[in-house]
């Protein structure tokens, strides 16, 4: 078993150059396509993988390529499958699918350098389309590695003589990338940003936040298993608000059909009626793409946040903020919120009737309990709320991810049978009970809590922080928050104790050795990702103009950006032209090394004409000094082999090093 890798390595070393280069290019193409796999139809991934493996086997065995009928047949199959998957052959998703398949099929007719160049530039285009799906740091790292691989293959294709090592081509590609980095940086800093990436929102994004305009009991519990990041928050000042006050508001659900809660909008579009106490909190939110229109806001935000061009913040009377289109890209905005507030009308006439409605015959035992509690509390809303919360504290109710499958009468089952549930079970049962007692109530979904990243200081909201709480209405006061989950599990709100599934074997083993290692590693990785988001993905036109202000421009405009970019490109072009002119004037490095050897032999008494090749110099040295010139003679023959041999075994760097170590005769 241990000899298999060695045997494969020796076989690879003995492959012809075209087979070696083809196998390397196949590896690079696989790296280019890797970020595309999650968004491609399954048949596409299977077909592309099979074609690449097939082509690799043909290269390894030096077998002939398939005929035209095979390629045409596979192309027709790909077209038909694309039509069945997307119902079109044009458009972004269908176009990316076809380009990926065509790139793989092109490898089946890779016979000449012309075909290789088509593959190179088609690969560059496919690499760009990866950013249609994700602009994350991981995607950028993968694409940088793919770029280096493609440049290495491109440089190697321009070295037709002999069998140059891939490491030499990689060094040249790295140098080219380094030289081009200033131009890339200038384009990034000064190219005017007139729209989001590619000019369209990221339609391929799914709802990462998990929040929805509808809620069935049990849906939010599924998010507790998702540790993905929904948003990052940076609070102004040194200290964030108290943990118990960190409620980030999302969709408000007020209509109930007995099974599902839905949003009440647009029943009360416009600025909310908000009554606040105390100083506001200033903060900045970086919201992950969700393909949904809701803006998260720390309860409660009075004024609209400033959004990038093309987006408008739309308020509603229930303190929910949304945008005029789904959020398909990373979005950063500032907000100002009040933590101590009431909202909405203070008279019963201003409360819509559906805030009290329940389906006929819904949860009869809960309705009876509501009548009993109402009679005990004398109809006072605060007293009724306190009585219900006291029942949750002392009635044996449990906060759990696995309460079992609820039936149609969810509130009855929660209050009397199961006495177990996640936040949406508890909030839904509480609101149903309050409505049955004649108190207007609604459900608010969003995020509660989060955690601070010890590396960069940002407050991180995860999907597992998704939460549902309640708001009740009181005469003369309006709407105010009640979180019944805090009565069942105070640690959920006060100490951010989250329910989580058991760790896997690998994570459990690492946790057993070092309980904090995984947390520190995750905090570091998320801080790096956040830096990428803030400094690269969120480099907007306003930040470009701020950069020009730092350069001394009082009121810069997009036209100023274009002028600065043009000057930078002209300067880079002049620098490249000067460098190319100097390179043309430089002597061939091989000839320079030969001239150094000729001069050194001249000092040793070996007279040689100026145009003598290495072999002639070796003969003259041997004739003049005999065996003492043996090392010099061998080195000169190696120098000749490096220049003229079909497959040179070493590079000039090795020969330069050995030149310095030679013992010259005389």
């Amino acid at each position: 078993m241990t000899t298999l890798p060695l045997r494969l390595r020796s076989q690879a070393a003995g492959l012809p150059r075209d087979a070696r280069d083809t196998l390397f290019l196949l590896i690079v193409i696989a790296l280019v396509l890797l970020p595309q796999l999650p968004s491609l139809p399954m048949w596409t991934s299977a077909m592309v993988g099979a074609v690449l493996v097939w082509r690799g086997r043909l290269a390894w065995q030096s077998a002939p390529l398939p005929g035209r009928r095979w390629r045409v047949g596979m192309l027709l199959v790909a077209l038909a499958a694309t039509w069945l998957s997307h119902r079109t052959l044009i458009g972004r998703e269908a176009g990316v699918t076809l380009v990926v398949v065509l790139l793989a099929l092109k490898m089946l007719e890779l016979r000449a350098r012309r075909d290789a160049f088509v593959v190179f530039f088609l690969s560059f285009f496919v690499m760009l389309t990866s950013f249609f799906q994700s602009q994350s740091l991981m995607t950028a790292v993968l694409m940088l590695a793919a770029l280096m691989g493609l440049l290495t293959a491109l440089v190697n294709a321009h070295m037709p003589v002999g069998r140059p090592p891939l490491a030499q081509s990689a060094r040249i590609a790295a140098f080219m990338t380094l030289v081009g980095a200033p131009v890339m940086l200038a384009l990034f800093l000064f190219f005017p940003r007139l729209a989001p990436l590619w000019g369209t929102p990221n339609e391929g994004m799914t709802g990462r936040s998990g929040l929805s305009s509808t809620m069935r009991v049990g849906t939010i519990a599924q998010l507790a298993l998702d540790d993905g990041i929904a948003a990052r928050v940076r609070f102004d000042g040194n200290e964030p608000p108290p943990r118990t006050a960190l409620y980030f508001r999302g969709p408000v659900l007020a209509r109930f059909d007995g099974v599902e809660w839905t949003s009440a909008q647009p029943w009360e579009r416009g600025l909310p009626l908000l009554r606040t106490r105390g100083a506001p909190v200033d903060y900045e939110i970086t919201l992950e793409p969700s393909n949904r229109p809701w803006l998260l806001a720390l309860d409660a935000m009075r004024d609209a946040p400033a959004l990038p061009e093309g987006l408008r913040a739309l308020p509603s009377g229930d303190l929910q903020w949304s945008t005029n289109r789904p959020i398909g890209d990373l979005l950063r905005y500032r907000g100002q919120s009040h933590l101590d507030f009431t909202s909405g009308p203070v008279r019963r006439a201003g409360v819509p009737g559906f805030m009290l409605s329940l389906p006929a015959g819904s949860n009869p035992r809960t309705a009876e309990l509501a009548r009993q509690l109402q009679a005990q509390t004398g109809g006072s809303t605060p007293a009724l709320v306190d009585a219900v919360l006291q029942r949750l504290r002392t009635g044996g109710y449990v906060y759990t991810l696995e309460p079992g499958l609820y039936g149609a009468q969810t509130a009855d089952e929660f209050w009397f049978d199961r006495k177990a549930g996640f936040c949406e079970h508890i909030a839904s049962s509480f609101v149903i009970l309050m409505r049955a007692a004649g108190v207007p109530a609604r459900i608010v979904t969003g995020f509660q809590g989060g955690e601070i990243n010890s590396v960069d200081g940002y407050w991180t909201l995860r999907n597992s922080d998704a939460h549902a709480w309640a708001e009740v209405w009181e005469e003369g006061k309006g709407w105010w928050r009640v979180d019944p989950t805090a009565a069942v599990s105070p640690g959920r709100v006060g100490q951010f104790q989250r329910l989580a599934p058991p760790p896997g074997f690998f994570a459990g083993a690492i946790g057993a050795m070092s309980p904090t290692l995984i947390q520190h590693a995750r905090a570091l990785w998320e801080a790096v990702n956040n830096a990428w988001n803030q400094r690269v993905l969120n480099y907007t036109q306003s930040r470009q103009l701020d950069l020009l202000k730092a350069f001394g421009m009082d009121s810069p405009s997009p036209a100023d950006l274009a002028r600065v970019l043009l000057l930078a490109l002209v300067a880079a072009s002049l620098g490249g032209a000067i460098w190319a002119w100097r390179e043309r004037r430089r002597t061939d490095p091989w000839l320079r090394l030969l001239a150094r050897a000729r001069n050194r032999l001249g000092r040793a008494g070996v007279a040689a004409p100026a145009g003598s090749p290495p072999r002639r110099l070796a003969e003259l040295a041997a004739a003049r000094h005999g065996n003492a010139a043996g090392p010099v003679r061998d080195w000169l023959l190696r120098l000749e082999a490096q220049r003229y041999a079909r497959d040179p075994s070493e590079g000039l760097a090795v020969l330069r090093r050995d030149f310095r170590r030679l013992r010259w005769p005389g």
Side-chain angles (χ1 to χ4, degrees):
M1 295 295 293
T2 57
T3 62
L4 180 60
L6 295 177
R7 187 165 65 250
L8 291 176
R9 184 174 180 178
S10 63
Q11 291 177 359
L15 288 174
R17 178 185 171 180
D18 59 344
R20 183 205 67 175
D21 294 350
T22 299
L23 290 173
F24 176 73
L25 184 57
L26 287 170
I27 294 173
V28 173
I29 290 175
L31 187 61
V32 170
L33 298 180
L34 185 61
Q36 299 276 12
L37 296 183
S39 59
L40 291 174
M42 291 186 62
W43 68 265
T44 309
S45 302
M47 183 177 185
V48 169
V51 169
L52 295 183
V53 171
W54 183 21
R55 184 63 179 90
R57 184 177 180 182
L58 294 177
W60 185 270
Q61 298 176 347
S62 298
L65 297 180
R68 182 181 180 87
R69 292 183 179 180
W70 271 98
R71 299 195 302 272
V72 172
M74 296 180 70
L75 176 60
L76 293 177
V77 170
L79 291 172
T82 302
W83 175 265
L84 292 175
S85 299
H86 303 289
R87 295 300 175 184
T88 182
L89 295 179
I90 59 176
R92 194 177 74 181
E93 301 300 328
V96 170
T97 300
L98 281 177
V99 168
V100 167
V101 174
L102 291 175
L103 173 59
L105 293 180
K106 184 63 180 176
M107 291 298 297
L108 295 179
E109 59 177 9
L110 184 62
R111 292 184 172 88
R113 289 180 62 197
R114 178 185 59 188
D115 299 321
F117 292 150
V118 173
V119 170
F120 293 148
F121 293 109
L122 191 58
S123 298
F124 283 123
F125 180 77
V126 172
M127 186 175 66
L128 290 177
T129 64
S130 297
F131 292 102
F132 285 154
Q133 308 301 331
S134 172
Q135 297 96 47
S136 68
L137 177 60
M138 182 59 70
T139 300
V141 170
L142 286 174
M143 290 302 95
L144 179 60
L147 174 65
M148 292 304 303
L150 285 174
L151 288 177
T152 299
L154 186 60
V155 170
N156 184 67
H158 282 85
M159 303 172 72
V161 178
R163 185 188 171 94
L166 290 175
Q168 180 183 359
S169 299
R171 287 193 296 269
I172 297 175
F175 178 73
M176 291 170 56
T177 304
L178 186 63
V179 170
V183 178
M184 176 194 70
L185 182 62
L187 288 171
F188 172 76
L189 291 176
F190 301 114
F191 194 87
R193 279 159 167 74
L194 305 178
L197 186 64
W198 315 119
T200 59
N202 192 347
E203 298 172 0
M205 297 300 303
T206 57
R208 290 185 185 175
S209 72
L211 300 180
S212 174
S213 59
T214 65
M215 185 191 81
R216 291 196 179 197
V217 172
T219 54
I220 293 183
Q222 300 170 3
L223 293 177
L225 306 178
D226 183 1
D227 214 23
I229 294 178
R232 291 180 174 90
V233 186
R234 184 178 65 184
F235 293 100
D236 294 358
N238 297 325
E239 293 294 332
R243 293 188 171 190
T244 54
L246 293 178
Y247 285 83
F248 294 87
R249 195 181 193 91
V252 179
L253 312 177
R255 299 184 184 274
F256 183 56
D257 62 3
V259 177
E260 188 174 63
W261 291 91
T262 57
S263 175
Q265 291 188 14
W267 71 274
E268 195 181 358
R269 180 66 72 184
L271 290 173
L273 299 173
L274 185 61
R275 297 170 292 280
T276 62
R277 295 170 291 276
V281 175
D282 295 300
Y283 56 95
E284 180 184 82
I285 289 185
T286 304
L287 192 62
E288 292 289 326
S290 64
N291 207 30
R292 291 168 180 172
W294 302 298
L295 294 171
L296 287 183
L298 185 65
D299 265 349
M301 187 162 62
R302 182 194 303 274
D303 300 322
L307 301 180
E309 185 178 356
L311 282 177
R312 297 194 315 274
L314 306 176
S316 68
D318 54 16
L319 302 182
Q320 179 181 340
W321 289 86
S322 59
T323 61
N324 57 313
R325 60 175 172 81
I327 299 171
D329 296 291
L330 201 72
L331 178 63
R332 184 172 63 181
Y333 55 94
R334 292 192 58 81
Q336 186 181 77
S337 295
H338 292 267
L339 305 182
D340 189 5
F341 67 95
T342 58
S343 66
V346 296
R347 295 290 176 261
R348 187 62 169 265
V351 180
F354 60 80
M355 295 289 186
L356 264 173
S357 64
L358 291 171
S362 173
N363 298 284
R365 288 185 291 171
T366 301
E368 179 59 30
L369 174 62
R371 286 190 288 269
Q372 295 174 8
L373 293 175
Q374 189 179 30
Q376 294 172 9
T377 57
S380 168
T381 297
L384 179 62
V385 170
D386 290 340
V388 176
L389 296 181
Q390 183 63 20
R391 182 184 180 94
L392 289 171
R393 295 187 191 99
T394 61
Y397 294 92
V398 178
Y399 177 63
T400 176
L401 277 174
E402 299 178 350
L405 185 63
Y406 272 69
Q409 308 295 345
T410 57
D412 281 358
E413 289 190 47
F414 174 79
W415 289 115
F416 300 100
D417 302 328
R418 300 180 184 273
K419 294 189 175 183
F422 198 58
C423 59
E424 74 267 34
H425 300 86
I426 303 171
S428 176
S429 301
F430 177 86
V431 171
I432 291 173
L433 177 59
M434 297 304 294
R435 288 189 176 188
V439 177
R442 61 193 184 192
I443 294 177
V444 183
T445 60
F447 295 86
Q448 198 283 321
E451 61 183 358
I452 192 168
N453 187 303
S454 58
V455 178
D456 60 9
Y458 275 76
W459 202 266
T460 304
L461 295 177
R462 304 183 184 278
N463 290 333
S464 55
D465 296 315
H467 193 50
W469 60 94
E471 285 184 334
V472 298
W473 184 87
E474 182 182 352
E475 184 76 26
K477 184 177 182 180
W479 293 99
W480 49 284
R481 182 198 306 132
V482 180
D483 191 350
T485 302
V488 179
S489 176
R492 167 62 179 85
V493 175
Q495 302 174 16
F496 298 164
Q497 296 174 359
R498 300 294 185 261
L499 297 176
F505 174 79
F506 182 72
I510 295 180
M513 293 186 296
S514 177
T516 60
L517 178 60
I518 293 181
Q519 288 83 353
H520 289 332
R522 185 174 72 171
L524 179 60
W525 173 247
E526 290 178 352
V528 173
N529 269 281
N530 187 40
W532 168 263
N533 292 342
Q534 302 297 335
R535 293 179 173 83
V536 178
L537 298 187
N538 262 317
Y539 186 70
T540 59
Q541 187 183 88
S542 61
R543 298 184 67 184
Q544 285 183 315
L545 299 180
D546 290 340
L547 179 62
L548 294 186
K549 290 180 182 178
F551 289 159
M553 297 185 181
D554 295 331
S555 55
S557 65
D560 296 323
L561 278 174
R563 283 191 287 270
V564 171
L565 177 62
L566 181 61
L567 289 175
L569 293 179
V570 169
S573 300
L574 289 176
I578 293 172
W579 176 81
W581 175 75
R582 291 188 60 187
E583 282 296 306
R584 284 197 300 270
R585 290 178 59 87
R586 292 178 61 183
T587 310
D588 186 316
W590 186 89
L591 293 176
R592 291 203 308 271
L593 187 57
L594 178 62
R596 290 177 61 188
R598 185 183 301 110
N599 292 335
R600 187 66 183 82
L601 285 173
R603 292 199 299 270
V606 179
S612 300
R615 185 171 295 274
R616 179 57 179 163
L617 292 178
E619 293 172 352
L620 293 174
R624 179 74 171 82
H625 295 284
N627 293 334
V632 174
R633 177 180 178 278
D634 294 340
W635 182 87
L636 287 167
L637 294 178
R638 286 166 53 200
L639 180 65
E640 182 183 71
Q642 201 281 334
R643 183 70 159 187
Y644 299 108
R646 182 178 182 85
D647 294 317
S649 58
E650 56 188 342
L652 282 177
V654 176
L655 290 168
R656 290 193 192 97
R657 181 198 64 195
D658 293 345
F659 176 83
R660 292 191 296 269
R661 298 176 179 176
L662 281 175
R663 295 179 61 87
W664 296 85

